[in-house]
Amino acid sequence: MTANVAEEVAFLRGLSKPLRNDGYDEISKRVNEEIAKLGKGRTFADLAVIDKKLGLPRGTSFDAAGFADYFAFIEED
């Protein structure tokens, strides 16, 4: 394999696969349960840990928790 192909294969193998084939509502429920367990000191970095723990693609927790919508609609001054 060439270096580029090997890099692409390594990237694809690194992608998370959902542990179950749940719908958006069920995934959001599980993500929000995990966020609630973190308490007040949670950070955005914790969302990556939740994605990994639940076997979700990177960024799923950010979206399911509503942060993606929030930041999409912030108006800049």
Side-chain angles (χ1 to χ4, degrees), residues 32-57:
N32 286 303
E33 287 171 354
E34 292 297 322
I35 290 172
K37 291 177 188 177
L38 296 173
K40 292 184 179 182
R42 61 187 180 254
T43 65
F44 286 123
D46 293 325
L47 298 176
V49 174
I50 292 171
D51 285 341
K52 192 170 192 173
K53 179 179 179 180
L54 298 178
L56 299 169

